[in-house]
Amino acid sequence: MGLFRTAELDPALADVLATSHRRARKALAKGQDGVHKAVLPGERIVAVTVDDLECLWTIVLTEQRLLTMTRGGEILVRETGIAEVPGATVEHGKHYSVLVLDRMSLRLHFENRAEAGALAKQINELVVANRPRTIPALHPGLYATLLSRAGVPETAVNRARLAERTAVVLGAQAVAMTAQFGDPDAFAEFTHLFARVTPGREQQRADDMISWLWEWHPLTHQTLTRQLATWQDGLLQPDSFLTAAAGGEIPPWSDGPGDDTETWRVVYRRNQRT
């Protein structure tokens, strides 16, 4: 028997430990008192993990906060409200997968890529659940405002064609994001839902896309907000299709059957990570 007892991990933490790495588990067992002190009364821990490579960084995910800690949880470095966490992605290497917390300067290594992906998904789902869509509906108010500012008559045809062109641009950007995040399942679902125009939802198509993207991945939130602002500003420039239609009618985007499947497949392939 050794002279020093090895700390045993609290079963409550063991149940939510996101890594099976033995050294990480041992480090958490040593620092677990700090984890318990950092958690508020009544606050439920959803997941906890320690970096598999150096066992330095630790994150504790609760329903309200993400705690960044060191030394297995002994020292609290930063606490972030869950709605303020930008989102998580995973980068895969030869020996380790890396959980990246965007814009938080935090990277945690996992030997098991499935464990890294599962924790990223947990984080992202919790962020989305706590951050409702902040982008105002485009239909009908924003479309009407843009038509008015551009001096284009607010007719049923012009509203429909502005909505159509907005959805075309947004759809291509959305498909590019599914490729950049390396999520073929998301691409397949988005294409199934939106590549063909749903009768009766023509003018709501872009709004439906935004709602889907918002719930899919929190890292789309800032990108969507920025891109839509850029799109609106561009529409009011002197050389845009909208201002060119002042006093008249916006030309249609396409006379085809309204199926973007093949176009989106091309966009997806071009934006896939190598």
Side-chain angles (χ1 to χ4, degrees):
M1 180 181 294
L3 295 175
F4 302 99
R5 291 180 58 191
T6 300
E8 294 186 5
L9 183 61
D10 182 343
L13 291 180
D15 286 345
V16 293
L17 182 59
T19 176
S20 56
H21 196 282
R22 292 176 62 186
R23 280 202 309 130
R25 183 186 181 95
K26 185 177 180 180
L28 180 61
K30 291 181 178 179
Q32 62 189 328
D33 288 346
V35 172
H36 287 306
K37 290 177 182 177
V39 175
L40 301 174
E43 188 176 23
R44 185 174 74 88
I45 298 176
V46 176
V48 59
T49 198
V50 179
D51 180 89
D52 285 354
L53 182 60
E54 296 179 338
C55 295
L56 174 63
W57 291 106
T58 301
I59 59 170
V60 179
L61 180 68
T62 78
E63 292 176 313
Q64 293 83 36
R65 300 180 298 158
L66 188 144
L67 308 178
T68 304
M69 312 185 78
T70 60
R71 293 173 57 182
E74 287 184 23
I75 302 170
L76 177 63
V77 176
R78 177 174 56 195
E79 54 182 290
T80 308
I82 197 62
E84 303 305 315
V85 175
T89 56
V90 178
E91 298 174 358
H92 297 297
K94 185 176 181 181
H95 300 293
Y96 286 94
S97 292
V98 183
L99 176 75
V100 181
L101 284 160
D102 191 69
R103 298 191 296 279
M104 294 181 67
S105 301
L106 187 60
R107 300 166 63 89
L108 289 97
H109 297 76
F110 283 75
E111 281 192 348
N112 185 318
R113 66 168 54 194
E115 291 174 347
L119 182 56
K121 183 178 179 182
Q122 254 186 316
I123 293 170
N124 290 334
E125 287 178 348
L126 197 54
V127 173
V128 168
N130 285 272
R131 194 160 69 207
R133 170 175 165 171
T134 58
I135 297 173
L138 309 184
H139 172 78
L142 179 61
Y143 292 146
T145 298
L146 289 170
L147 291 169
S148 175
R149 292 182 63 186
V152 178
E154 192 184 339
T155 64
V157 169
N158 281 336
R159 286 196 302 273
R161 289 179 178 174
L162 175 56
E164 175 193 31
R165 285 173 173 266
T166 302
V168 167
V169 171
L170 182 59
Q173 292 171 338
V175 166
M177 283 190 279
T178 65
Q180 290 159 3
F181 289 160
D183 195 336
D185 292 337
F187 167 71
E189 182 177 346
F190 186 85
T191 301
H192 173 72
L193 291 172
F194 302 115
R196 298 173 185 84
V197 180
T198 302
R201 297 293 296 177
E202 294 89 351
Q203 295 190 40
Q204 291 87 359
R205 187 183 181 205
D207 276 311
D208 292 342
M209 289 177 176
I210 292 168
S211 294
W212 186 92
L213 289 164
W214 196 274
E215 294 177 4
W216 164 55
H217 204 297
L219 288 178
T220 67
H221 298 177
Q222 187 180 58
T223 300
L224 281 170
T225 302
R226 183 175 61 249
Q227 289 179 340
L228 285 166
T230 300
W231 169 246
Q232 293 170 41
D233 289 342
L235 288 176
L236 299 175
Q237 298 304 309
D239 57 349
S240 79
F241 74 83
L242 185 61
T243 53
E249 193 168 272
I250 298 173
W253 171 255
S254 172
D255 294 325
D259 187 339
D260 293 314
T261 302
E262 291 305 318
T263 300
W264 287 359
R265 284 175 180 161
V266 172
V267 172
Y268 185 86
R269 287 195 295 268
R270 286 178 177 172
N271 285 274
Q272 278 183 296
R273 295 182 296 186
T274 56

